[in-house]
Amino acid sequence: ASPSPTVIVIGAGMSGISAAKTLHEAGIHDILILEATPKIGGRLKKTQFSGLTVELGANWLYGGGTVANPLLDMATKLKLRTSLNDFENITSNTYKQEGGLYPSKLVEAINKVATARNDFCSKLSERLSSKKKDVDVSILAAHRIYKQEPKTPLEMVIDYYYNDYQDAEPPKVTSLKHTYPRNEIVDHGDDAYFVADPRGFEILSQYLAKQFLSSLTSDPRLKLNKVVREIIYSSHGVTVKTEDGSTYNSRYVIVSVSLGVLQSGLIDFKPTLPLWKRIAISDFSMTIYTKIFLKFSYAFWPTGPGTEFFLYTHARRGYYPLWQHLENEYPGSNILFVTVTADESRRIEQLPDETIEAEIMEILKKLFGENVPKAESILVPRWGMDKFYKGSYSNWPDGYSQNRKDQLADPVGPVYFTGEHTNDKYIGYATGAYLAGIDTANDLIECIKNKSCRGFNRNRWH
Ligand code: FAD
């Protein structure tokens, strides 16, 4: 039998790969990565749609700010094909529920209120952060304090664009203090680079992995199609069991699966994780963000400069609100995609594709006329139903304290945790996942090399 590795890393998404690479660079080479699916990258996931590569998961990288975005730097190095998205004209491209554009002056006025409200949110958040006590409110509460709660369909769709479109949850549930000001944008910048490359966003995780693995298919330190179902841990070490009946032993384990997977109970921890840890996991939010792609025989929507995005208003907040065409990235592709989130994602995930397509066609007919052609194909990712993700990314809910958030990342005995949800500054983002992997690995390196093991502190793990 091969000797047991020092560390098993569960999951080969951005955080797991980044953790493994950090361990490797610190001289800890006896590692084993167990990944449930046939490939690395996790939520960095491309697919082929009508002969083109589209991203089912992460799509944007942010840049242009005061802090370098390590993933954007990597993307530049790899000459990843991206296009800079232009959201400037959204106020000229906002459609009414029954069709027809709103006058841009009206949308601009509402947009002005929304941006002033965003500024207020940032200031209120900073004020709350300066207080010693962990006082927080929801973003919606902040809107009410500002006396500008979005109520009309038009106000709601603009609010959706600024909040739900990022957080994938409504302002009613999202923490103000831990969301505003938006770190990803403040630090990395608001230049939104949309990845449209045949190699996919996932090339970034492959690039990192190749720096310490000889091959992504045959290096014995990476095992694909290994679904972890059980982690048995004690002060002596860890035993990991997979669905196919294999057993692996190690001294430590890093769990990088999504928050949704942790919440779902797919992995059985023995003994059960302590209550503080289970509360930290259960009380945080795992959201759903769905990009529905549609291919048509021709582009019947406006194309050309300033048309990339359009908004659809509806009395039901979040009903197919945000649309993008791919003519800038792939001219002549005739592909549109619409983004839905949270409860709307949960609703449509239960529906057959034909029903979703019928709902979408009803809207497109209102906007562009009865004669619009039928879609040639439709692609509906179902992140919420996928047992290896159970959602898209995490979101900080109102009422969830910093202390609890720290516990989400805390190790339990020899069991360490990483993933975008354990990062503080850029939670939800691929950059957050990358940095989380480095942080968790460094925490564990401190334990292995200097015997300073947080997981065993104060016997908290019993
Ligand atoms: P994951 O990528 O989930 O990695 C965990 C790995 O664990 C996966 O490979 C999974 O298969 C594996 N796994 C799960 N269960 C098991 C098991 N039982 N045994 C073994 N392995 C297991 N970020 C951005 O920066 N910009 C964006 O524009 C953006 N948009 C997004 C849109 C969508 C629709 C989604 C889904 C995500 C988006 N994100 C975006 C978020 C970004 O993709 C994630 O934050 C990041 O990829 C998470 O990496 P991770 O390593 O934490 O988790």
Side-chain angles (χ1 to χ4, degrees):
S2 56
S4 300
T6 300
V7 184
I8 291 176
V9 177
I10 298 173
M14 182 46 91
S15 67
I17 293 293
S18 136
K21 175 174 172 281
T22 307
L23 292 172
H24 181 87
E25 284 166 356
I28 300 161
H29 297 157
D30 51 342
I31 52 182
L32 174 66
I33 307 171
L34 300 174
E35 164 58 44
T37 71
K39 68 157 202 79
I40 74 162
R43 284 171 269 170
L44 309 183
K45 193 176 184 189
K46 65 169 188 215
T47 194
Q48 289 301 109
F49 179 63
S50 297
L52 293 172
T53 304
V54 295
E55 299 293 337
L56 297 168
N59 229 141
W60 285 274
L61 280 164
Y62 290 90
T66 50
V67 178
N69 181 346
L71 293 196
L72 185 60
D73 291 348
M74 236 179 266
T76 309
K77 196 166 173 186
L78 292 168
K79 297 192 167 57
L80 196 69
R81 190 169 170 267
T82 59
S83 81
L84 191 55
N85 278 176
D86 176 13
F87 293 92
E88 286 297 310
N89 293 289
I90 220 151
T91 51
S92 313
N93 305 335
T94 302
Y95 290 89
K96 297 175 187 167
Q97 182 164 339
E98 292 309 319
L101 283 167
Y102 278 103
S104 49
K105 284 255 172 324
L106 174 64
V107 190
E108 272 160 29
I110 287 172
N111 188 48
K112 214 169 152 192
V113 172
T115 52
R117 191 168 58 212
N118 292 344
D119 290 345
F120 173 80
C121 282
S122 293
K123 289 198 185 94
L124 181 61
S125 169
E126 275 157 15
R127 242 178 97 184
L128 294 181
S129 300
S130 67
K131 303 242 183 280
K132 282 218 173 64
K133 276 176 82 186
D134 208 343
V135 187
D136 195 6
V137 293
S138 68
I139 296 175
L140 175 63
H143 291 174
R144 287 180 180 149
I145 294 167
Y146 188 58
K147 294 199 168 33
Q148 285 294 348
E149 179 182 350
K151 291 248 168 73
T152 67
L154 183 53
E155 289 165 352
M156 283 194 291
V157 82
I158 297 289
D159 185 43
Y160 183 98
Y161 165 63
Y162 284 113
N163 291 298
D164 311 41
Y165 188 44
Q166 293 291 330
D167 308 324
E169 273 197 321
K172 191 176 166 183
V173 294
T174 303
S175 153
L176 175 79
K177 204 161 87 174
H178 301 288
T179 309
Y180 276 76
R182 295 184 177 279
N183 291 321
E184 179 68 13
I185 310 293
V186 171
D187 291 355
H188 297 143
D190 61 1
D191 293 347
Y193 293 92
F194 185 86
V195 175
D197 188 295
R199 294 168 293 170
F201 205 135
E202 62 196 58
I203 189 79
L204 298 189
S205 51
Q206 293 162 9
Y207 169 74
L208 288 174
K210 282 179 188 160
Q211 290 176 39
F212 66 98
L213 296 175
S214 56
S215 149
L216 301 187
T217 46
S218 58
D219 190 306
R221 287 167 297 168
L222 171 65
K223 292 194 187 299
L224 301 171
N225 300 305
K226 287 286 183 186
V227 181
V228 171
R229 296 303 304 270
E230 208 173 306
I231 299 175
I232 305 160
Y233 62 98
S234 73
S235 53
H236 304 295
V238 184
T239 299
V240 174
K241 293 189 177 176
T242 55
E243 207 155 77
D244 61 4
S246 309
T247 297
Y248 304 91
N249 296 310
S250 63
R251 183 70 194 89
Y252 302 95
V253 66
I254 294 181
V255 182
S256 85
V257 302
S258 75
L259 177 73
V261 171
L262 289 174
Q263 289 174 343
S264 76
L266 177 68
I267 301 175
D268 203 5
F269 290 88
K270 288 187 179 159
T272 313
L273 290 171
L275 188 59
W276 61 265
K277 188 74 182 180
R278 280 181 285 149
I279 291 173
I281 290 170
S282 310
D283 225 16
F284 211 57
S285 264
M286 186 67 176
T287 67
I288 315 182
Y289 181 105
T290 317
K291 288 176 279 184
I292 305 166
F293 295 88
L294 298 124
K295 161 86 176 171
F296 294 94
S297 52
Y298 64 94
F300 50 83
W301 51 89
T303 53
T307 61
E308 194 169 6
F309 294 88
F310 63 88
L311 297 177
Y312 174 63
T313 52
H314 196 281
R316 187 154 115 205
R317 187 192 172 98
Y319 190 74
Y320 301 105
L322 216 145
W323 300 69
Q324 183 174 351
H325 68 64
L326 290 182
E327 294 307 307
N328 294 358
E329 291 76 12
Y330 298 120
S333 60
N334 305 328
I335 294 175
L336 264 185
F337 74 90
V338 55
T339 302
V340 297
T341 53
D343 283 350
E344 277 301 312
S345 288
R346 278 175 207 105
R347 184 184 71 84
I348 64 141
E349 283 202 2
Q350 310 288 328
L351 301 174
D353 285 4
E354 306 82 70
T355 311
I356 300 166
E357 188 180 329
E359 288 185 350
I360 290 175
M361 289 313 295
E362 201 181 317
I363 296 171
L364 290 175
K365 283 182 178 166
K366 281 180 185 166
L367 306 194
F368 303 112
E370 279 298 318
N371 295 331
V372 300
K374 200 179 152 8
E376 287 179 354
S377 42
I378 180 167
L379 171 65
V380 186
R382 287 179 172 79
W383 287 100
M385 292 193 346
D386 189 325
K387 65 177 174 181
F388 298 135
Y389 300 95
K390 287 281 171 193
S392 304
Y393 48 86
S394 64
N395 183 41
W396 197 315
D398 172 32
Y400 193 94
S401 67
Q402 180 66 55
N403 184 38
R404 193 156 278 174
K405 181 67 172 53
D406 295 342
Q407 292 178 334
L408 192 56
D410 276 348
V412 176
V415 185
Y416 282 66
F417 293 85
T418 193
E420 53 82 8
H421 55 281
T422 68
N423 182 255
D424 249 6
K425 257 197 139 176
Y426 312 119
I427 79 164
Y429 292 95
T431 305
Y434 169 73
L435 296 173
I438 296 173
D439 288 346
T440 304
N442 282 332
D443 199 6
L444 181 52
I445 291 164
E446 187 62 20
C447 167
I448 294 170
K449 292 197 169 168
N450 300 329
K451 304 277 169 269
S452 168
C453 302
R454 291 200 312 122
F456 295 102
N457 282 357
R458 292 167 275 145
N459 271 345
R460 286 185 73 189
W461 64 292
H462 278 299

